[in-house]
Amino acid sequence: MARIAGVNIPTNKRVTIALRYIHGIGPAKAGEICEKVGIASECRVNELSDAEVLRIREAIDSDYMVEGDLRREVAVNIKRLMDQGCYRGVRHRRGLPVRGQRTHTNARTRKGPARAIAGKKK
């Protein structure tokens, strides 16, 4: 099992798919990494040599912010918005949708399960 950026990537999947298990790498960046390192995108992880895995690991470490560093930066950015007291920060603080979605109905993912209103039934 290959370990890249602190994540065990699945061995029986194609390299471009397996790299997406790393937080901060999506389809475009996975393809870009494979192209930069010189690995065919159809190649499976278990077919890679140790040298190729090492090249992938070095390419990710040098060019991309992934996993812990990325999570930390996102958390700091959200905390900065909350400390400023701007609209987006207030929405984060209250646990409401941040990007202008409606909240009269829907928004249950962000707001949590609906709570009954006491004394409403009559």
Side-chain angles (χ1 to χ4, degrees):
M1 181 169 281
R3 189 166 176 83
I4 299 173
V7 177
N8 294 329
I9 60 174
T11 55
N12 56 345
K13 293 186 184 278
R14 291 186 302 141
V15 177
T16 53
I17 304 297
L19 285 175
R20 296 183 204 180
Y21 281 70
I22 300 169
H23 181 76
I25 295 180
K29 284 185 183 176
E32 193 177 298
I33 290 166
C34 287
E35 190 177 303
K36 189 181 295 181
V37 176
I39 295 173
S41 59
E42 301 83 37
C43 186
R44 305 255 172 199
V45 175
N46 56 8
E47 297 170 0
L48 294 176
S49 66
D50 291 338
E52 290 172 326
V53 172
L54 184 65
R55 284 198 317 233
I56 291 173
R57 191 176 297 133
E58 288 171 350
I60 290 172
D61 288 343
S62 64
D63 299 336
Y64 302 100
M65 184 180 295
V66 293
E67 283 301 321
D69 295 336
L70 181 62
R71 292 180 203 271
R72 197 172 308 108
E73 183 175 323
V74 169
V76 167
N77 289 341
I78 291 171
K79 186 174 181 336
R80 176 179 48 81
L81 290 171
M82 288 165 62
D83 292 343
Q84 286 176 353
C86 66
Y87 181 80
R88 282 172 56 202
V90 169
R91 301 298 281 186
H92 273 292
R93 196 177 308 138
R94 291 184 181 168
L96 294 168
V98 177
R99 297 186 176 179
Q101 297 91 333
R102 67 179 288 127
T103 56
H104 180 71
T105 59
N106 304 331
R108 280 292 143 218
T109 301
R110 194 77 174 128
K111 291 168 71 174
R115 293 178 296 276
I117 299 170
K120 175 89 179 210
K121 219 176 188 180
K122 271 197 179 177

